Amino acid sequence: MPVLMYHSVQETGADYQVTAAQLDEQLGWLASNGYESVTSADVLAWMTYGIPLPAKPVMITIDDGNFTDWYFLELLEKYGFEGVFALPNYAELTPEEIRTLDRAGEVCGHTVSHPNLSTLSYDEQLYEIGENKQFLEAILGNEITCFAYPFGAYSGMTQFAVIEAGYLMAFDVAGGAQPLDTSIDRWHILRINVNGNGTLDDFIASLEY
């Protein structure tokens, strides 16, 4: 299962941004080639209860809560996909916009201030992770169960802070396509950074195991 990691839509592509044309082309290719989007809730249901996933699942994650999340939502809906949005407390979104993103897919945690968690004490990590979860849940009125590590950084203590905060799944920032077998680690779901410097062929190649 490819778990794609996006950040923002900009006029030029770069390591952590794509152009509108690139995003449209990538999502169009996924739709044309039989991929169906899933959320972390879908993967948790598969892991916990054996509820089947689609034959060609893809998870489309968008980090950091940039104002261009609205453009992602527009294109995701154009192709019948759901997005998974990892939001810090400083997301450039109103409470109503955050609720809309959750209804259109799923909202995940991403800390209060996007620090490098590996540099923090356990209590500092628990604050960043737990306060962000409470902040988002107060807006949404429902529990969130997924978390994304800022910068993909963590220490040996971080997983325990994520668990204590009440999450059920967490995302890394790299690693390639996530095998759907017994090797899966719910606290370190692998992701693919969609590089705006690449071509559509590069994007397609990145989806392979």
mmCIF file of all heavy atoms in Angstrom, residues 172-196:
data_model
loop_
_atom_site.group_PDB
_atom_site.id
_atom_site.type_symbol
_atom_site.label_atom_id
_atom_site.label_comp_id
_atom_site.label_asym_id
_atom_site.label_seq_id
_atom_site.Cartn_x
_atom_site.Cartn_y
_atom_site.Cartn_z
ATOM 1 N N ASP A 172 5.673 7.501 9.714
ATOM 2 C CA ASP A 172 7.009 8.009 9.427
ATOM 3 C C ASP A 172 6.934 8.915 8.193
ATOM 4 O O ASP A 172 5.848 9.179 7.668
ATOM 5 C CB ASP A 172 7.974 6.844 9.178
ATOM 6 C CG ASP A 172 8.327 6.095 10.463
ATOM 7 O OD1 ASP A 172 7.881 6.502 11.550
ATOM 8 O OD2 ASP A 172 9.055 5.074 10.375
ATOM 9 N N VAL A 173 8.104 9.357 7.698
ATOM 10 C CA VAL A 173 8.105 10.217 6.509
ATOM 11 C C VAL A 173 8.765 9.547 5.305
ATOM 12 O O VAL A 173 8.852 10.149 4.236
ATOM 13 C CB VAL A 173 8.797 11.572 6.773
ATOM 14 C CG1 VAL A 173 8.114 12.331 7.892
ATOM 15 C CG2 VAL A 173 10.286 11.388 7.060
ATOM 16 N N ALA A 174 9.247 8.336 5.467
ATOM 17 C CA ALA A 174 9.975 7.676 4.384
ATOM 18 C C ALA A 174 9.804 6.168 4.524
ATOM 19 O O ALA A 174 9.061 5.690 5.377
ATOM 20 C CB ALA A 174 11.457 8.060 4.434
ATOM 21 N N GLY A 175 10.514 5.418 3.667
ATOM 22 C CA GLY A 175 10.515 3.967 3.769
ATOM 23 C C GLY A 175 9.946 3.240 2.571
ATOM 24 O O GLY A 175 10.079 2.033 2.444
ATOM 25 N N GLY A 176 9.236 3.977 1.696
ATOM 26 C CA GLY A 176 8.647 3.328 0.526
ATOM 27 C C GLY A 176 7.238 2.841 0.775
ATOM 28 O O GLY A 176 6.600 3.211 1.769
ATOM 29 N N ALA A 177 6.734 2.014 -0.143
ATOM 30 C CA ALA A 177 5.378 1.478 0.006
ATOM 31 C C ALA A 177 5.307 0.559 1.221
ATOM 32 O O ALA A 177 6.241 -0.179 1.519
ATOM 33 C CB ALA A 177 4.982 0.720 -1.258
ATOM 34 N N GLN A 178 4.182 0.624 1.922
ATOM 35 C CA GLN A 178 3.996 -0.152 3.154
ATOM 36 C C GLN A 178 3.465 -1.550 2.839
ATOM 37 O O GLN A 178 2.349 -1.693 2.330
ATOM 38 C CB GLN A 178 3.008 0.567 4.074
ATOM 39 C CG GLN A 178 2.602 -0.217 5.311
ATOM 40 C CD GLN A 178 3.776 -0.510 6.219
ATOM 41 O OE1 GLN A 178 4.420 0.389 6.731
ATOM 42 N NE2 GLN A 178 4.050 -1.788 6.421
ATOM 43 N N PRO A 179 4.259 -2.611 3.103
ATOM 44 C CA PRO A 179 3.729 -3.966 2.908
ATOM 45 C C PRO A 179 2.536 -4.224 3.841
ATOM 46 O O PRO A 179 2.550 -3.808 5.005
ATOM 47 C CB PRO A 179 4.913 -4.868 3.272
ATOM 48 C CG PRO A 179 6.130 -4.016 3.126
ATOM 49 C CD PRO A 179 5.679 -2.640 3.520
ATOM 50 N N LEU A 180 1.530 -4.891 3.323
ATOM 51 C CA LEU A 180 0.369 -5.243 4.135
ATOM 52 C C LEU A 180 0.505 -6.704 4.568
ATOM 53 O O LEU A 180 -0.164 -7.600 4.057
ATOM 54 C CB LEU A 180 -0.914 -5.021 3.341
ATOM 55 C CG LEU A 180 -1.236 -3.563 3.013
ATOM 56 C CD1 LEU A 180 -2.485 -3.472 2.143
ATOM 57 C CD2 LEU A 180 -1.408 -2.728 4.285
ATOM 58 N N ASP A 181 1.413 -6.907 5.524
ATOM 59 C CA ASP A 181 1.657 -8.258 6.036
ATOM 60 C C ASP A 181 2.066 -8.149 7.499
ATOM 61 O O ASP A 181 1.905 -7.096 8.121
ATOM 62 C CB ASP A 181 2.718 -8.977 5.191
ATOM 63 C CG ASP A 181 4.032 -8.195 5.100
ATOM 64 O OD1 ASP A 181 4.349 -7.427 6.042
ATOM 65 O OD2 ASP A 181 4.747 -8.354 4.094
ATOM 66 N N THR A 182 2.604 -9.207 8.062
ATOM 67 C CA THR A 182 2.935 -9.209 9.485
ATOM 68 C C THR A 182 4.090 -8.289 9.843
ATOM 69 O O THR A 182 4.343 -8.046 11.021
ATOM 70 C CB THR A 182 3.276 -10.638 9.949
ATOM 71 O OG1 THR A 182 4.337 -11.159 9.131
ATOM 72 C CG2 THR A 182 2.060 -11.550 9.836
ATOM 73 N N SER A 183 4.772 -7.734 8.831
ATOM 74 C CA SER A 183 5.877 -6.816 9.109
ATOM 75 C C SER A 183 5.393 -5.421 9.468
ATOM 76 O O SER A 183 6.178 -4.581 9.913
ATOM 77 C CB SER A 183 6.815 -6.722 7.903
ATOM 78 O OG SER A 183 6.206 -6.005 6.835
ATOM 79 N N ILE A 184 4.109 -5.147 9.305
ATOM 80 C CA ILE A 184 3.598 -3.805 9.528
ATOM 81 C C ILE A 184 3.757 -3.402 10.995
ATOM 82 O O ILE A 184 3.483 -4.179 11.908
ATOM 83 C CB ILE A 184 2.121 -3.697 9.076
ATOM 84 C CG1 ILE A 184 1.684 -2.232 8.995
ATOM 85 C CG2 ILE A 184 1.195 -4.499 9.978
ATOM 86 C CD1 ILE A 184 0.346 -2.046 8.282
ATOM 87 N N ASP A 185 4.254 -2.192 11.209
ATOM 88 C CA ASP A 185 4.417 -1.633 12.548
ATOM 89 C C ASP A 185 3.493 -0.428 12.651
ATOM 90 O O ASP A 185 3.743 0.608 12.032
ATOM 91 C CB ASP A 185 5.876 -1.217 12.764
ATOM 92 C CG ASP A 185 6.137 -0.612 14.139
ATOM 93 O OD1 ASP A 185 5.168 -0.322 14.876
ATOM 94 O OD2 ASP A 185 7.317 -0.395 14.468
ATOM 95 N N ARG A 186 2.422 -0.564 13.403
ATOM 96 C CA ARG A 186 1.416 0.497 13.450
ATOM 97 C C ARG A 186 1.963 1.824 13.975
ATOM 98 O O ARG A 186 1.355 2.872 13.763
ATOM 99 C CB ARG A 186 0.217 0.067 14.279
ATOM 100 C CG ARG A 186 0.496 -0.051 15.777
ATOM 101 C CD ARG A 186 -0.790 -0.155 16.564
ATOM 102 N NE ARG A 186 -1.551 -1.351 16.267
ATOM 103 C CZ ARG A 186 -2.880 -1.432 16.402
ATOM 104 N NH1 ARG A 186 -3.569 -0.392 16.804
ATOM 105 N NH2 ARG A 186 -3.492 -2.570 16.135
ATOM 106 N N TRP A 187 3.105 1.787 14.670
ATOM 107 C CA TRP A 187 3.694 3.025 15.198
ATOM 108 C C TRP A 187 4.707 3.642 14.237
ATOM 109 O O TRP A 187 5.239 4.713 14.498
ATOM 110 C CB TRP A 187 4.347 2.761 16.554
ATOM 111 C CG TRP A 187 3.378 2.107 17.494
ATOM 112 C CD1 TRP A 187 3.469 0.850 18.017
ATOM 113 C CD2 TRP A 187 2.136 2.635 17.979
ATOM 114 N NE1 TRP A 187 2.376 0.567 18.798
ATOM 115 C CE2 TRP A 187 1.544 1.649 18.794
ATOM 116 C CE3 TRP A 187 1.484 3.846 17.802
ATOM 117 C CZ2 TRP A 187 0.321 1.840 19.429
ATOM 118 C CZ3 TRP A 187 0.259 4.038 18.425
ATOM 119 C CH2 TRP A 187 -0.311 3.048 19.239
ATOM 120 N N HIS A 188 4.953 2.957 13.136
ATOM 121 C CA HIS A 188 5.898 3.472 12.138
ATOM 122 C C HIS A 188 5.437 3.049 10.741
ATOM 123 O O HIS A 188 6.105 2.288 10.046
ATOM 124 C CB HIS A 188 7.317 2.970 12.416
ATOM 125 C CG HIS A 188 7.886 3.511 13.691
ATOM 126 N ND1 HIS A 188 8.329 4.816 13.808
ATOM 127 C CD2 HIS A 188 8.046 2.947 14.920
ATOM 128 C CE1 HIS A 188 8.750 5.015 15.053
ATOM 129 N NE2 HIS A 188 8.584 3.905 15.740
ATOM 130 N N ILE A 189 4.275 3.567 10.341
ATOM 131 C CA ILE A 189 3.764 3.282 9.011
ATOM 132 C C ILE A 189 4.645 4.014 7.987
ATOM 133 O O ILE A 189 4.881 5.221 8.107
ATOM 134 C CB ILE A 189 2.290 3.729 8.876
ATOM 135 C CG1 ILE A 189 1.406 2.987 9.898
ATOM 136 C CG2 ILE A 189 1.792 3.531 7.455
ATOM 137 C CD1 ILE A 189 1.339 1.499 9.700
ATOM 138 N N LEU A 190 5.124 3.283 7.011
ATOM 139 C CA LEU A 190 6.023 3.854 6.010
ATOM 140 C C LEU A 190 5.273 4.789 5.066
ATOM 141 O O LEU A 190 4.105 4.562 4.751
ATOM 142 C CB LEU A 190 6.675 2.729 5.201
ATOM 143 C CG LEU A 190 7.368 1.624 5.996
ATOM 144 C CD1 LEU A 190 7.950 0.576 5.050
ATOM 145 C CD2 LEU A 190 8.460 2.200 6.895
ATOM 146 N N ARG A 191 5.975 5.831 4.616
ATOM 147 C CA ARG A 191 5.362 6.753 3.653
ATOM 148 C C ARG A 191 6.325 7.045 2.498
ATOM 149 O O ARG A 191 7.515 6.769 2.571
ATOM 150 C CB ARG A 191 4.947 8.073 4.322
ATOM 151 C CG ARG A 191 3.762 7.932 5.253
ATOM 152 C CD ARG A 191 3.084 9.252 5.522
ATOM 153 N NE ARG A 191 3.835 10.103 6.442
ATOM 154 C CZ ARG A 191 3.435 11.333 6.800
ATOM 155 N NH1 ARG A 191 2.324 11.851 6.295
ATOM 156 N NH2 ARG A 191 4.153 12.042 7.651
ATOM 157 N N ILE A 192 5.763 7.619 1.458
ATOM 158 C CA ILE A 192 6.508 8.017 0.261
ATOM 159 C C ILE A 192 6.368 9.525 0.114
ATOM 160 O O ILE A 192 5.251 10.032 -0.071
ATOM 161 C CB ILE A 192 5.948 7.317 -0.998
ATOM 162 C CG1 ILE A 192 6.075 5.792 -0.869
ATOM 163 C CG2 ILE A 192 6.647 7.826 -2.259
ATOM 164 C CD1 ILE A 192 5.227 5.032 -1.877
ATOM 165 N N ASN A 193 7.476 10.253 0.200
ATOM 166 C CA ASN A 193 7.429 11.694 -0.026
ATOM 167 C C ASN A 193 7.264 11.947 -1.518
ATOM 168 O O ASN A 193 8.090 11.526 -2.325
ATOM 169 C CB ASN A 193 8.705 12.365 0.483
ATOM 170 C CG ASN A 193 8.716 13.848 0.172
ATOM 171 O OD1 ASN A 193 7.718 14.534 0.373
ATOM 172 N ND2 ASN A 193 9.827 14.355 -0.331
ATOM 173 N N VAL A 194 6.190 12.619 -1.887
ATOM 174 C CA VAL A 194 5.962 12.929 -3.296
ATOM 175 C C VAL A 194 6.804 14.146 -3.648
ATOM 176 O O VAL A 194 6.557 15.252 -3.162
ATOM 177 C CB VAL A 194 4.476 13.179 -3.588
ATOM 178 C CG1 VAL A 194 4.281 13.475 -5.068
ATOM 179 C CG2 VAL A 194 3.649 11.965 -3.178
ATOM 180 N N ASN A 195 7.809 13.915 -4.462
ATOM 181 C CA ASN A 195 8.805 14.932 -4.789
ATOM 182 C C ASN A 195 8.347 15.741 -5.996
ATOM 183 O O ASN A 195 8.190 15.202 -7.092
ATOM 184 C CB ASN A 195 10.145 14.238 -5.086
ATOM 185 C CG ASN A 195 11.282 15.198 -5.239
ATOM 186 O OD1 ASN A 195 11.127 16.317 -5.723
ATOM 187 N ND2 ASN A 195 12.465 14.757 -4.826
ATOM 188 N N GLY A 196 8.157 17.028 -5.800
ATOM 189 C CA GLY A 196 7.709 17.899 -6.878
ATOM 190 C C GLY A 196 8.754 18.150 -7.941
ATOM 191 O O GLY A 196 8.462 18.790 -8.964
#
